[in-house]
Amino acid sequence: AATLAEIEILTSHPAEASARLVPLLDRPDLQECDVTTLLPVLAWARLELGQLDEAAAAVEQALGRARPEGMRLVLVETLRVRALIALRQEQWDAAAGSLAEGLALAREISYPYAEARLLCLDAALRARRGEPAAARERLEAAGAIFARLGARCDAEQVNKALADLSRNPASSQNAGTSHDPAPPGASCLTAAQWGAIAALLPQPARTGRPRADDRRVLEAILYQRRTGCAWARLPAELGDGATAHRRWREWQAAGLWEQIVAIVEAPAAAPAELAAASRRGGE
């Protein structure tokens, strides 16, 4: 169940992951060891749903149960999720503390895959602090581990992150300020990309309350996914965070989000072809 839930989170279906795990939690008056292993994954799902308080509570519950029992594999994953929560809340020192503890434990128990995932998060923290050289060093170390383990999908993500870092290196003058790849108000979508995406989206209703502009909302969603900031902390120029989160969930439920991501990540000449293929598949 934990593995299936993690796959659902990684494929942008955190609601399904949460629904899978909740029925498996402790029965009344019992504290079951197997449930402890589910808690960090549940916390991650709740984080992706924007439920920060619930995610933090699940993490602390997992830590409180795993530490006394010496469940070190669970501790490593829980510390990773706690660091991820802290990053979303822009609590840099808290994130650094969880990452340091998690990396030390992963190395102590010779758990290289967890070490590499923690290094990726540490790279994200370094990039946001305006330390591109340190971020690159950690990404390269993570990539080497993933390559050695044969974790191809993870290695590809690291290569993409390295390419993004090369295109948008943080300037030393920006230390202590926002380290996002582009200013919040700047569009990340080309005209071709937006044209392809707009062709997939349902037409707004002609009656009722006016709908927030789809392109602006999509820019807000992409900004949140790119930076990891909390939905409630989206910059004002990107609109309302609750609206962006709700629209993202709607597009997920309708099966549109994966198509949108494919267009955004496609080579420059491909968005129109991808949109046409998506429409044909829907027919």
Side-chain angles (χ1 to χ4, degrees):
T3 302
L4 290 170
E6 179 163 341
I7 291 170
E8 287 165 340
I9 295 169
L10 292 170
T11 54
S12 301
H13 295 95
E16 288 83 345
S18 180
R20 180 184 298 278
L21 297 177
V22 167
L24 304 177
L25 298 181
D26 292 322
R27 290 169 288 179
D29 302 320
L30 289 177
Q31 181 172 303
E32 301 170 83
C33 182
D34 288 344
V35 171
T36 306
T37 67
L38 304 179
L39 291 174
V41 188
L42 178 61
W44 187 12
R46 287 175 170 169
L47 173 63
E48 295 303 318
L49 289 169
Q51 301 169 356
L52 290 177
D53 291 341
E54 294 87 343
V59 159
E60 295 311 312
Q61 185 182 7
L63 291 173
R65 292 167 63 149
R67 287 192 195 278
E69 299 295 330
M71 301 174 69
R72 296 189 294 176
L73 293 176
V74 177
L75 277 173
V76 169
E77 178 60 13
T78 304
L79 289 165
R80 185 186 73 85
V81 178
R82 186 164 73 167
L84 187 55
I85 293 171
L87 281 172
R88 295 281 175 91
Q89 296 175 314
E90 300 182 0
Q91 297 174 352
W92 311 134
D93 290 342
S98 294
L99 288 169
E101 183 181 356
L103 280 166
L105 183 55
R107 288 163 178 161
E108 178 185 336
I109 63 177
S110 298
Y111 189 0
Y113 184 70
E115 179 184 351
R117 296 220 292 184
L118 287 160
L119 283 170
C120 289
L121 270 187
D122 196 20
L125 172 62
R126 301 287 177 168
R128 292 179 200 178
R129 282 180 157 177
E131 303 170 15
R136 174 171 293 280
E137 176 188 343
R138 283 153 180 78
L139 284 172
E140 289 174 346
I145 293 173
F146 287 140
R148 187 173 76 246
L149 296 176
R152 292 191 299 273
C153 291
D154 297 278
E156 288 170 4
Q157 289 297 316
V158 168
N159 290 335
K160 183 178 183 298
L162 283 167
D164 290 341
L165 192 64
S166 297
R167 286 194 296 268
N168 302 288
S171 169
S172 59
Q173 288 90 351
N174 290 334
T177 64
S178 172
H179 307 300
D180 305 319
S187 175
C188 291
L189 296 170
T190 66
Q193 286 173 327
W194 172 243
I197 291 167
L200 298 174
L201 302 180
Q203 293 298 311
R206 296 184 179 182
T207 58
R209 184 178 179 181
R211 179 181 174 87
D213 179 70
D214 279 325
R215 180 166 185 170
R216 187 186 188 203
V217 171
L218 178 54
E219 294 282 6
I221 295 170
L222 293 175
Y223 179 88
Q224 191 279 333
R225 306 309 293 170
R226 185 173 70 249
T227 66
C229 75
W231 292 102
R233 293 195 171 192
L234 282 174
E237 55 265 42
L238 291 175
D240 178 60
T243 299
H245 182 245
R246 184 170 60 252
R247 193 75 56 82
W248 175 59
R249 295 289 306 281
E250 289 173 359
W251 288 341
Q252 280 186 310
L256 293 173
W257 181 246
E258 291 181 0
Q259 297 176 50
I260 291 171
V261 170
I263 291 171
V264 171
E265 295 181 351
E273 290 84 347
L274 274 171
S278 297
R279 287 196 298 274
R280 288 194 298 271
E283 293 166 1

